[in-house]
Amino acid sequence: MDPITNPYAPGAGQRPPELAGRDEQLTAFDVTLERVAKGRPERSVVLTGLRGVGKTVLLNALRSAAVRADWGSGKLEARPEQPLRRPLAAALHMAMRELGHPQSDDVLGTVQAFAAREIGTGGRVRDRWNPGIDVPATTGRADSGDMEIDLVELLTDVGGLAADLGRGVAIFVDEMQDLRPEDISALCAACHELSQNRLPVVVVGAGLPHLPAVLSASKSYSERLFRYSRIDRLDRAAADQALASPARDEDVEFTPGSLAELYAMTAGYPYFVQAYGKAVWDAAAGSPVTVEDVRVAAPDAEAELGVGFFGSRYERATPAEREYLRAMAETAVAGGDAGEPEPDSVTTAAVAAHLDRKPQSLSPARDSLLKKGLIYSGERGRIAFPVPHFGRYLRQQA
Ligand SMILES: Nc1ncnc2c1ncn2[C@@H]1O[C@H](COP(=O)(O)OP(=O)(O)OP(=O)(O)O)[C@@H](O)[C@H]1O
Ligand SMILES: [Mg+2]
């Protein structure tokens, strides 16, 4: 069919034509916004899930909900080793502008002062970085250089202003697991303080499945601070909807058999659903899309995923790291029956045993894979792939 009208959108953070299966999270967030605006106790929200399940897309949808509720909002994406001050200041600047009130200038001065403290751990050195805030930095608030103190002061001022205006502020943090430990800890402390004072500020985080472990390693009370929501693959009905609804807008139908076949191939993982949808659309002659169309398009979809989703990650690994990744993939199925679902994680001891090596001799490879984000550890002694079906991909490479 015409590639120009192809509605599907495989790609990181690409808004899908139909946001399927996320009504529960969207509704819960509307309730959160209402409760916080009314000064009711409420926890901040953290979305967790594997690569490509739709965390970024959902985070953006929640941000739209905050904007619709007339809140100020800002978003940042955490990067490994990168200090939080500047990206957070930029996000708060955006939120203050959305609130668009003359009074926000005072708070912007504090945002400015907060941002400027990033450099100058040794003294009161300030550099000329300017987040585009055309308000002079104030002194004496959020500029001590101690991240925890500064963040509590800053968000208290932000929350105070929002409360005065009868509105709220929502800050969205994508890839939250990549925040530095000191920043995570400061952010938890600030959320704790805000919720005790019932200030209308919410932090919404998104990250990989081990994010709750990262948070609780930082502050033991984090479990009570955040409402964790696991973002998972779509169930059959939602996956069908994600495919069929955008097609229907173009007067294209799927046969029931083609949808069943697509679910068998994608397992409902949103990225795969989009990639397959796109390939099948391009391959099909017309409506309705049949099982045969799906089978013909499958190699194209797999090739696309092999390069864009799996290959781009595999290429970042050194030969020693690749050996380790393959051993993980083989360990995951060794001993299991064919057709049995792959375990979510494997023990590092089992991987070492599989390679017939001493665990210590493998720690450099394992540590660099953790650093590169190609594996994660949600539990001591256990590791897993953040990318769904990565084990299967690696076994097929062999
Ligand atoms: N609910 C959904 N229904 C249909 N498609 C979706 C849904 N959520 C996400 N997608 C699609 O899945 C793909 C991945 O989405 P997104 O980038 O948000 O995932 P992610 O979890 O943030 O991944 P990563 O961890 O790699 O950042 C995109 O192509 C998007 O259009
Ligand atoms: Mg993302």
Side-chain angles (χ1 to χ4, degrees):
M1 290 184 284
D2 186 357
I4 294 173
T5 54
N6 194 323
Y8 303 104
Q14 287 276 335
R15 193 159 65 93
E18 169 82 14
L19 185 69
R22 303 295 183 228
D23 291 352
E24 192 188 311
Q25 286 85 5
L26 291 166
T27 309
F29 191 62
D30 282 337
V31 173
T32 297
L33 291 174
E34 292 265 340
R35 286 182 59 85
V36 172
K38 291 190 160 57
R40 302 271 179 193
E42 188 58 307
R43 286 177 292 174
S44 280
V45 183
V46 167
L47 313 172
T48 65
L50 296 174
R51 292 278 167 219
V53 290
K55 302 178 296 297
T56 299
V57 156
L58 183 56
L59 208 59
N60 292 339
L62 298 182
R63 185 175 179 191
S64 302
V67 171
R68 274 197 304 277
D70 210 22
W71 282 40
S73 74
K75 189 181 157 190
L76 65 102
E77 183 179 313
R79 306 241 160 81
E81 326 275 329
Q82 188 191 56
L84 175 62
R85 270 186 197 258
R86 287 177 180 186
L88 183 64
L92 285 168
H93 179 211
M94 177 65 94
M96 291 292 102
R97 279 180 38 175
E98 281 181 11
L99 284 185
H101 192 273
Q103 237 179 296
S104 47
D105 277 6
D106 299 342
V107 180
L108 277 179
T110 314
V111 173
Q112 179 87 287
F114 171 81
R117 284 304 296 165
E118 175 171 311
I119 301 212
T121 33
R124 300 194 61 80
V125 191
R126 298 221 164 134
D127 74 356
R128 279 183 293 280
W129 182 76
N130 187 323
I133 302 178
D134 43 14
V135 169
T138 53
T139 46
R141 208 141 163 84
D143 62 354
S144 75
D146 179 316
M147 185 60 177
E148 196 160 315
I149 294 172
D150 292 353
L151 197 55
V152 168
E153 287 186 355
L154 178 63
L155 291 181
T156 300
D157 287 5
V158 166
L161 170 66
D164 288 349
L165 301 177
R167 295 164 69 191
V169 165
I171 300 299
F172 298 86
V173 184
D174 206 355
E175 303 291 349
M176 193 171 179
Q177 76 283 339
D178 285 339
L179 286 178
R180 302 179 314 161
E182 60 265 47
D183 289 337
I184 291 257
S185 146
L187 199 57
C188 288
C191 286
H192 198 197
E193 185 74 19
L194 288 164
S195 70
Q196 286 169 42
N197 295 325
R198 304 274 166 92
L199 287 169
V201 177
V202 291
V203 173
V204 185
L208 292 174
H210 65 299
L211 177 54
V214 169
L215 291 169
S216 62
S218 172
K219 296 276 188 209
S220 56
Y221 56 72
S222 71
E223 276 143 60
R224 282 166 282 137
L225 211 53
F226 298 103
R227 185 160 50 76
Y228 295 118
S229 176
R230 175 84 194 214
I231 308 306
D232 219 328
R233 59 207 187 95
L234 304 174
D235 63 19
R236 175 66 202 275
D240 287 1
Q241 190 196 339
L243 289 161
S245 158
R248 208 168 296 128
D249 292 341
E250 304 290 334
D251 294 319
V252 170
E253 299 289 330
F254 283 83
T255 64
S258 70
L259 288 172
E261 186 72 4
L262 276 163
Y263 196 72
M265 289 176 170
T266 63
Y269 282 108
Y271 198 105
F272 301 160
V273 169
Q274 298 298 329
Y276 267 85
K278 182 149 196 246
V280 168
W281 180 282
D282 286 349
S287 180
V289 174
T290 64
V291 179
E292 193 48 32
D293 293 330
V294 175
R295 292 187 185 145
V296 168
D300 291 341
E302 285 302 319
E304 186 66 39
L305 289 169
V307 176
F309 196 64
F310 300 120
S312 59
R313 295 191 157 92
Y314 186 62
E315 258 148 40
R316 289 169 46 214
T318 64
E321 292 163 10
R322 288 178 188 184
E323 186 189 16
Y324 195 88
L325 291 173
R326 278 195 301 271
M328 276 177 70
E330 285 156 15
T331 307
V333 288
D337 291 329
E340 201 175 278
E342 206 168 300
D344 289 337
S345 62
V346 294
T347 66
T348 54
V351 177
H354 184 82
L355 286 167
D356 202 14
R357 299 264 298 273
K358 285 208 171 68
Q360 302 91 296
S361 74
L362 293 169
S363 16
R366 193 188 57 230
D367 290 348
S368 54
L369 285 168
L370 284 166
K371 252 210 179 91
K372 288 181 184 175
L374 293 173
I375 62 174
Y376 72 92
S377 174
E379 240 179 287
R380 215 186 149 75
R382 297 195 77 92
I383 43 174
F385 296 122
V387 175
H389 290 178
F390 201 55
R392 196 173 77 181
Y393 165 80
L394 292 169
R395 288 190 299 274
Q396 283 166 353
Q397 295 306 97

